[in-house]
Amino acid sequence: MNSGDRLLAVDEVAERLGTGVRFIRRLISERRIRYVKVGKHVRIAESVLAAYIVANTVPTLREARSRFGKVA
């Protein structure tokens, strides 16, 4: 998390991911995404959201095959 990051509310994160608020709250409760507590409010930094997206991006078959070389 960078100090210049904007902190996003749960509903903003849900909107950016195209999911419901309930899904984001589940990620938080299962500690699958880093978050910040500001009093009773929960916020997620933009860089944390970007890292979550990168970590959960599934490569195409072509990308996956190129990592392992040619198959005999």
Side-chain angles (χ1 to χ4, degrees):
M1 188 168 108
N2 302 328
S3 61
D5 271 352
R6 181 166 175 256
L7 295 176
L8 304 171
V10 173
D11 56 339
E12 291 175 304
V13 174
E15 185 178 327
R16 287 194 184 191
L17 291 180
T19 64
V21 172
R22 189 173 178 181
F23 174 71
I24 305 303
R25 294 218 179 268
R26 192 174 86 223
L27 290 178
I28 291 167
S29 70
E30 293 173 356
R31 297 197 178 198
R32 293 171 51 199
I33 192 167
R34 292 176 55 197
Y35 62 93
V36 177
K37 293 273 303 198
V38 182
K40 66 178 184 173
H41 304 285
V42 174
R43 299 289 184 254
I44 298 172
E46 286 181 322
S47 63
V48 170
L49 180 58
Y52 177 81
I53 291 169
V54 168
N56 288 287
T57 299
V58 178
T60 63
L61 287 176
R62 183 172 295 206
E63 292 170 338
R65 285 183 185 153
S66 68
R67 279 193 288 158
F68 298 114
K70 294 194 175 205
V71 178

